[in-house]
Structures are given as structure tokens and as C-alpha cells.
Amino acid sequence: MIKKLLFLFVAFYCNVTFGQLVINEVDSDNTSTDTFEFVEIKSATANFSLNGYALVFYNGANNLSYYALDLDGYSTDINGNILIGNTGVTPSPAINFANSLLQNGPDAVAIYSGNASDFPNNTTATPTGLIHAIAYGTTATQPTALMTALGITEFVNENINSLKDTQSIQRKNDGTYEVKLPTPGANNDGSGIPINYVTVGFTQASYNEGDSFNITFTTSQPVQNETLIMNFTLNNGNFTMSDFSGGLTVSIPVGQTTTQTGIILTNDVVDEGDEEMLFQFQPLPTGYVANNDNIVIRVYDNDYQVQPWGTPLNPTYGIVSSTAPLGYYSSLEGLSGATLKQAVQDIIANPSVVRLHSYADIWEILRTADQNPENSNQVWCMYIEQPMAKLDQQNGSSIVGKWNREHIFPQSRGGFEVAMGDSADGIGVWNSTSASSTVDGVSDAHHIRAENGQENSSRNNKNYGPVNSGTVYAGQTGTQGSWRGDVARALFYMAVRFNGLNVVNGDPSEYLVDGTTPSGNIGDLATLLTWNTTDPKDDFEMNRNNYIYTWQMNRNPFIDYPNLADYIWGANAGQPWSATLSSGEFAELKLALYPNPSSGNITIAGAQNDAVAEFYNMTGQKVKAVEFVGNTTINLDLQSGLYMVKITSGNQSTTRKLIVK
């Protein structure tokens, strides 16, 4: 009899507990990139502890879990609700998950008695320990197998009103569901105890070191009973207390609704790189809920470094010299045709010299190789011809507003593969590689560039050509094509570096005739040869070549000698190669420039023929150009500072530093 009573008590307790929690609202699909997704859980009683529960997300395509999170340490609010979602959702979710994480369906979300560790990714759907679940989607198609596995019958189409981007799935008091305008953090029927929401306001989304600003706090209703005291933090990774000053506690007196506090960003003299502070509330008093929280504010470091050479969009020439060792290309002299091409490969694919680094190491390489000359805390994105903050490196699935690693010779065409367990090891760790290891092209930095994620996606694996349609890529409308010569020289390098890769005429297929094997071909060769000439190598490209050499111990010979491509594929194919006669490189021009420093005028002496002097400031911008013959005196009319002066006469040039007082 005692055992029977104990069994009945346990059954009653489980039924009461299981009935406490339900999936109250789901918003899986928003406009654009899904940054306002959320799941709301409701308890039958207020302030219900969620210790011992987990929320699990299932994929209806395979009936497997794709995400799980513990609810330990959390409770529902005075209305029995708890909100879980993206950081952009208002009011601020008690628990955050990444943007675009919640799949659009047909899928399911479930509450379990247990821990998230009980449901690692790809766990088969189970009814064991299930408290409540709902299947959902944005079409009428139901995940029947998943629903059967969970033992549920409830399915709701979020797009039943053809308004999936602006409506959510909501539970009614009778236990059925409807689709209407979202009500995150509130009872779906509009009932409940009013909650005093606290909204945080910043005047800007970003600031510079040395700036001062106020943070404003506003309640939705006047404070009652006692002064509202709120604590918050701003620390985030490398952004610490040493990076700012100001109070981290604020209060709003009874009867008032707003207050503010001042923050001063430390203006040091060290280039630590751009950083982000993260505003986070500490637990608020009972009856108050954060309307927004987890706010990221960008802090730009004003101590960034500027190089004397220009960006690809405003190029300079002759400032950066090749660091190729003496005699690096001497074995090419006098060779032609296939013999010349093989000799180039023998240099750049020498397995006893050339180093293969991990694909994860490419991030570190690009942060320096593709650094914006005008701001050391940015990378230059090739196709969009704009810089992006190094901080915006892609580290998740979302590509919006992020930069990533663009393979100029597409992975699918080359058959490149990322090694199992790939991780960043640094410059001191490498493997050997050879011309036959085409898969190694996945981490050859000579053809990988920093690029805006969305443009990288648009580029896809298209061939290159004069029009942007179908399988041919020519870049964004309105850009100046400053990347085209870079692309050509990178592809020429890959076609020599690896045996399985080729640059060919026309618009070759991604795959061979079997439809699955990478073709190893990319085009259009004629276009690339033209681009190699019309967009000549510049200082940015040469600096990049020099830096990658320090990692891989090989160079891109088509940057050091662009005309080499013509001797392998172009108009000079079959002719003997001579670096001196065929490269078109400028020889050093011997002349004098004085006085230096100058307070107004300079004299240039020694030019025997027509010449031009180009003046570049420290951001790489050309600020003055003067044509002259023989000796000349030039009125500078320039602001004080350091300049680079490139003087060209015939096939000779020289670059000098000039200080203007």
C-alpha cells in the first residue's frame, strides 16, 4: 500500500511539474538575416525556477538536434514568461543565441527535463523527458517523422497569413496556437502585471579613443517605492577597466524615469587595435526588466599606423621593393616555352623549401598581408575596393558586415580541401608541399584575399571576364577594377604552382564531364592577360608578396615580373626569357633632389630626358605631379610632413623621401 501511494505521488508530482512549462511563442523567420528570432517559454505560476530544464532545437529534415541550451539558473518573470532569442530582440532576452540560429522549418523546438549536455548536436529526437514541444514551419509541409519521434501532433505554419517576416506563432489560453504580431516578453492575450522596462541609450554606435559620452537609462514607468539602483559592466575581451573611466552604478529616484552616467574612453599612445565594449546589466531588482541589453559599441583606436604606399584604389609604385634574394630567378634566364614554365614551378613549388601552413593560419596572414595602408586596424577588401575593420572578421555563419577568406582560384574548381583538425599553428609550424598536392591550394596565401563576405558569396566560383552575368564575374557595378591585375597574377601563379590547375580561354565548366570531379580550369585567359597589363602591379601587391614570402618561403613571380605571363601564355610565348630585357621593370634613375628637408622649393637635377615627379602623402594619395625636362625647381605648396617623391624618366625611376617643414 505504501509503495502504491508513493507511485501515485510521484506520478502526480511529474504531471504537475510537466504541466508547468509550455512553448508560448516562436518567431523563426524575420526580414533579411533573421536577427529578431526568439522562443518564449511560459510557466503556469510566476517566478518559476527553470533549474533542471533544457531547450532543444530539432531539424525536421533528419530528426536530429542542432542546438541545445541549459535553463539552469533562470526563472520565469512575474507573468510566468521567459524570453530566449537574438540580442536585437526587445525586450532583451534573458538568454541569447546567435543570429540566424533558429531554423525556419519544418522543424521543432522542445522543453526537456534534463541538461543541454544530454542533447549534443545530432541527437535523435526522443519523447523521453519531454515536457512540451511544438513543430513549426513557413509552409504547410509538416515534419511528420520528427513529430512522430517526439510523440506530438501540434504543427503551426508561421506563414499561414503570408506574413512570416512580421508575425509569430503564439499559444492561446485554450492551448491552441495562432499567428499574429509578435508579443515577446508579454502575455499573448495582453493580460498580466505591467513590467517596468529599462531602456539603455547611447548617442552613437561607435566612438574613438579619447571621446566622452553619456549612457542614458529610462524606465517605462516612474520608479515606485524605493530608488532603483542598477549596476552594469563594459568589459569585453581586451577591452578592460584600463580602457575607460566612469561609474558603473546608476540610480533613478522614486517618481523619476531617467538618469545618465558619463564614460571617458582612455586616449593612450599604443595601437592596441580597434576594440568593442559590451554593455551588460547586472541582475536588476525584482519588477524591472531590461528592454535592451548586451549592447556592443565599437571603439576605434586612434593610434593606428599609416604606410607610405597607397591602396589598390589609389596606388603608388616603386616605394616597396621586392625582397627576393639575389639570384632567386636566375635559373629562368634564356629559357622558353614549357621549359620556362617548369623552371618557374621548380622555384615556387620546391618541396624542400616551400612551406604549407594551415587554412586557419590564413586569418593571421591576411590581417597583415591585406592590411589597409591607410589604417593598420583594417584590411583592404579587394572586390569592393573598401577597407573593413579587422574586428569584423567572420567567426560564425553570418557573412553580413563581415570579411572572410576569398579563394581567387575557387575551391570547387581546384578541389581544395581543408585538413581534418585544421587549426592555427603560427609561422613556426608547417608541412612540406609539392606541385602535385593540388589540395594544398586551400591554404596558399598567394591566391587568398580578404573580402567582404556578401561579395565573396556573389563571386562564388565564377570565371573572370568582361561582363558580370551567368558564370562570369567582373565585380560590382561602380567599382574601378583595381583588383583585376591582382586576380590575373594570382591565377597565373596557381596555374604554375600546382600541376592540376590551368588558366584557359573561354568560360570553362566547374567540373569535368562526370559532373563531380573538379576541372582544375578557370578562365578567361585572354581577359586575364589583358588585366595583367591594364592594372599593373603596385606597392600594395609587392608588399603583400614580400610578407607572404616570410611565411611560405616562395613568391609570386608574376608580381616580381608581370611580363613573365606573356612568355608563358601570351604574345611572347616561345621566346627566350630575360629579366633585364623582358620584364619592363624600371631601372634606378640617378639624380639629385635638394634641399631636403625643404621649406618651400626643391630642385631636381640629373634628368636627361622628359620626366615627371609625383608627390605622395603618408596616406598614399598623390597630391602633386610636375612634368619637366632637365634640371628644374619646383614650388611645393604642400603642408608640413613626410612625402614620397617618385621621379620617372623613360624606363628609369627612383623614389625619395622628402620632408616639408
Side-chain angles (χ1 to χ4, degrees), residues 306-311 314-317 319-320 371-374 538-541 543-544 616-621 644:
V306 178
Q307 299 298 335
W309 58 86
T311 68
N314 296 291
T316 58
Y317 305 93
I319 297 175
V320 181
Q371 183 171 290
N372 178 15
E374 298 177 353
D538 54 28
D539 290 317
F540 183 94
E541 202 175 358
N543 177 70
R544 191 175 197 281
Y616 297 89
N617 64 21
M618 292 305 290
T619 67
Q621 295 176 312
M644 304 301 295

Side-chain angles (χ1 to χ4, degrees), residues 315 356 475:
L356 174 68

Side-chain angles (χ1 to χ4, degrees), residues 426-651:
I427 196 171
V429 179
W430 70 87
N431 293 320
S432 61
T433 179
S434 68
S436 61
S437 300
T438 306
V439 293
D440 293 348
V442 72
S443 59
D444 194 311
H446 283 301
H447 86 119
I448 304 176
R449 297 289 289 262
E451 189 51 65
N452 171 272
Q454 291 166 288
E455 185 64 19
N456 189 1
S457 178
S458 298
R459 149 86 185 111
N460 200 353
N461 63 357
K462 298 172 184 174
N463 293 294
Y464 295 90
V467 294
N468 188 9
S469 63
T471 59
V472 181
Y473 180 81
Q476 283 189 349
T477 302
T479 56
Q480 297 183 30
S482 63
W483 49 268
R484 289 176 177 168
D486 303 50
V487 162
R489 289 178 282 274
L491 293 178
F492 295 153
Y493 164 87
M494 293 295 284
V496 176
R497 169 68 176 84
F498 296 103
N499 291 335
L501 305 181
N502 306 283
V503 285
V504 298
N505 282 313
D507 192 12
S509 172
E510 174 185 358
Y511 297 111
L512 296 178
V513 291
D514 64 1
T516 59
T517 303
S519 68
N521 297 329
I522 194 164
D524 168 58
L525 175 58
T527 297
L528 297 172
L529 288 169
T530 299
W531 286 357
N532 184 42
T533 301
T534 57
D535 175 33
K537 70 167 188 188
D538 54 28
D539 290 317
F540 183 94
E541 202 175 358
M542 181 61 77
N543 177 70
R544 191 175 197 281
N545 199 17
N546 291 343
Y547 181 72
I548 294 172
Y549 178 57
T550 66
W551 279 75
Q552 296 185 182
M553 301 307 295
N554 73 346
R555 302 182 61 82
N556 183 340
F558 300 99
I559 295 175
D560 291 328
Y561 293 105
N563 285 8
L564 185 59
D566 292 326
Y567 283 78
I568 296 177
W569 296 282
N572 301 109
Q575 298 177 17
W577 164 259
S578 170
T580 303
L581 299 178
S582 306
S583 69
E585 297 298 295
F586 287 118
E588 181 69 17
L589 179 64
K590 307 297 183 183
L591 48 73
L593 183 152
Y594 59 89
N596 191 3
S598 170
S599 58
N601 298 324
I602 61 167
T603 297
I604 301 175
Q608 302 300 315
N609 301 301
D610 293 349
V612 60
E614 298 170 302
F615 296 78
Y616 297 89
N617 64 21
M618 292 305 290
T619 67
Q621 295 176 312
K622 184 164 66 174
V623 295
K624 190 179 186 69
V626 177
E627 297 180 355
F628 63 96
V629 179
N631 299 340
T632 187
T633 298
I634 300 174
N635 179 16
L636 295 176
D637 190 25
L638 296 173
Q639 295 181 352
S640 299
L642 178 63
Y643 295 84
M644 304 301 295
V645 185
K646 180 182 178 182
I647 305 167
T648 304
S649 179
N651 68 340

Side-chain angles (χ1 to χ4, degrees), residues 229-410:
I229 299 175
M230 298 171 283
N231 298 302
F232 63 93
T233 61
L234 296 176
N235 287 12
N236 184 34
N238 293 331
F239 188 86
T240 65
M241 294 287 289
S242 64
D243 293 307
F244 70 95
S245 60
L248 298 177
T249 299
V250 296
S251 61
I252 300 179
V254 173
Q256 302 297 310
T257 60
T258 187
T259 189
Q260 61 183 19
T261 188
I263 300 294
I264 302 174
L265 297 172
T266 304
N267 189 8
D268 55 28
V269 294
V270 180
D271 183 17
E272 302 166 306
D274 299 335
E275 296 173 312
E276 290 178 327
M277 62 179 170
L278 176 64
F279 177 96
Q280 286 186 315
F281 271 119
Q282 298 300 290
L284 292 170
T286 301
Y288 295 91
V289 172
N291 193 49
N292 57 337
D293 197 3
N294 300 295
I295 304 168
V296 175
I297 301 294
R298 181 69 52 90
V299 178
Y300 291 110
D301 196 318
N302 57 8
D303 300 302
Y304 58 83
Q305 303 299 307
V306 178
Q307 299 298 335
W309 58 86
T311 68
L313 196 59
N314 296 291
T316 58
Y317 305 93
I319 297 175
V320 181
S321 300
S322 169
T323 58
L326 185 65
Y328 186 76
Y329 294 110
S330 60
S331 61
L332 307 183
E333 291 296 310
L335 302 182
S336 63
T339 305
L340 174 61
K341 182 179 179 182
Q342 183 60 54
V344 175
Q345 186 185 79
D346 291 342
I347 297 171
I348 65 175
N350 185 343
S352 65
V353 175
V354 179
R355 300 175 179 180
L356 174 68
H357 290 276
S358 72
Y359 186 46
D361 279 322
I362 291 295
W363 288 117
E364 181 178 350
I365 295 174
L366 294 184
R367 287 168 67 87
T368 298
D370 288 354
Q371 183 171 290
N372 178 15
E374 298 177 353
N375 187 326
S376 57
N377 296 322
Q378 301 173 338
V379 291
W380 184 262
C381 293
M382 180 174 65
Y383 297 136
I384 65 171
E385 300 180 324
Q386 295 176 16
M388 292 184 70
K390 290 181 179 179
L391 267 181
D392 292 325
Q393 173 182 316
Q394 182 181 340
N395 56 11
S397 59
S398 176
I399 62 175
V400 179
K402 303 295 183 181
W403 65 271
N404 54 25
R405 299 164 291 186
E406 150 71 355
H407 288 82
I408 294 177
F409 201 114

